[in-house]
Amino acid sequence: ITQVLDPTFLLDISHWQSIAQKPQCEDYIFAFLLRFNAEFIDYLLKISKESRKKLILFSKVIEKPVEGAIVVNEGSISDFLGYFQHASLSITDSFHGTVFSILMGSQNFYSYIRNPQRGTRIFSLLNLFGLSSHILSFEKSYVDLINNSIDREKLMSVLVEEQEKSRQFLKENL
């Protein structure tokens, strides 16, 4: 079986960047959450406090204000992409959140996998890019997270190679 990239990777990064809108705030931690998890939110608040950075929670599942965070329930795709692009750290429990962390150039990012049986796409994606150390563990401090930096040049090299393989396979087989 030949594995190809998710279609979001097959568009040039410049496409996504052209849509992104720069957020009004700066120097923040961005969290995109698909599922409500109080322990996860508590951890994010802890990291925000340690870093002294604003925490932006972008999620439809958070229905009440969260003390110590800016909750964004309704945002455009431009906002969504812009938050990833300008984050000093992004954290997500979403496959596509992981994709856009890679594409939009978050300075650093982590993916939280609550259920390893359901997180296989995220594991596979992180392994493909040599980023398996970017699976979030609640034991890590803010300093631990930031010190595990991403080699963007290597990441982009893998992306270009995988885009070429995926496009070639699709051209030959569709």
Side-chain angles (χ1 to χ4, degrees), residues 32-161:
F32 172 57
L33 309 177
L34 288 181
R35 291 166 200 82
F36 181 83
N37 179 326
E39 181 184 19
F40 189 18
I41 293 171
D42 288 344
Y43 175 76
L44 294 169
L45 289 166
K46 176 184 156 257
I47 294 300
S48 172
K49 190 174 183 178
E50 284 177 22
S51 68
R52 297 187 178 135
K53 295 181 187 295
K54 295 175 197 138
L55 173 62
I56 298 172
L57 298 172
F58 195 100
S59 179
K60 289 192 177 275
V61 298
I62 300 173
E63 298 173 353
K64 299 178 191 175
V66 175
E67 187 175 335
I70 299 166
V71 177
V72 179
N73 296 113
E74 299 293 328
S76 68
I77 187 68
S78 297
D79 296 330
F80 177 76
L81 294 171
Y83 281 126
F84 277 113
Q85 185 174 26
H86 297 282
S88 59
L89 175 65
S90 62
I91 300 175
T92 185
D93 63 356
S94 156
F95 173 79
H96 283 99
T98 304
V99 167
F100 286 112
S101 293
I102 292 169
L103 289 173
M104 298 309 293
S106 300
Q107 291 174 30
N108 205 335
F109 72 89
Y110 287 84
S111 296
Y112 173 62
I113 301 172
R114 188 170 97 190
N115 181 346
Q117 287 76 30
R118 297 193 69 209
T120 55
R121 288 194 322 159
I122 295 173
F123 279 126
S124 176
L125 179 61
L126 292 174
N127 285 331
L128 177 67
F129 285 95
L131 296 169
S132 58
S133 65
H134 287 264
I135 296 170
L136 185 67
S137 163
F138 291 168
E139 289 78 39
K140 292 183 179 180
S141 69
Y142 174 74
V143 172
D144 295 333
L145 298 177
I146 291 302
N147 285 337
N148 185 17
S149 62
I150 294 171
D151 182 343
R152 297 285 312 166
E153 191 173 304
K154 180 181 173 189
L155 189 145
M156 289 297 109
S157 173
V158 171
L159 177 59
V160 167
E161 181 180 325

